[in-house]
Amino acid sequence: MTIEKKFNGESLTLLLIGRLDTTTSPDLEREIQESTKGIKSLTLDFKDLEYISSAGLRVVLGAQKLMSRQGQMNLINVPDAIKDIFEMTGFSEILNIE
């Protein structure tokens, strides 16, 4: 998985490219921990995300918990297959999916 970052003041967008799974989820978790200091708005762009595993879901949930304390988090461009996973797991009730 590749992560592209775009800062805009107190906002950060992370474009996720590839697969978010057991192998790559620690990379996203580390990136979120390192890059969100002072950030009030985090956007995860799933436009080029092909797959998300339970390990990836755990990282997304952790990011939501972190950002609920310091601002907000949005998910954009979520493919239908991944939206289905969010709905089956109940994450669609917790996450702000645009």
Side-chain angles (χ1 to χ4, degrees), residues 49-97:
L49 192 66
E50 300 165 3
Y51 172 81
I52 188 167
S53 72
S54 59
L57 291 172
R58 181 188 59 78
V59 173
V60 171
L61 184 60
Q64 175 62 42
K65 287 180 181 177
L66 171 72
M67 292 309 299
S68 69
R69 292 190 297 269
Q70 66 188 57
Q72 67 177 5
M73 184 177 90
N74 300 306
L75 292 113
I76 62 171
N77 302 317
V78 179
D80 288 339
I82 294 175
K83 273 186 191 172
D84 290 344
I85 292 169
F86 287 148
E87 288 175 15
M88 286 188 291
T89 58
F91 278 47
S92 59
E93 302 297 320
I94 300 167
L95 302 172
N96 184 20
I97 302 170

Side-chain angles (χ1 to χ4, degrees), residues 39-59:
I39 295 296
K40 296 204 183 321
S41 176
L42 173 63
T43 300
L44 299 181
D45 189 340
F46 281 20
K47 175 178 63 172
D48 296 320
L49 192 66
E50 300 165 3
Y51 172 81
I52 188 167
S53 72
S54 59
L57 291 172
R58 181 188 59 78
V59 173

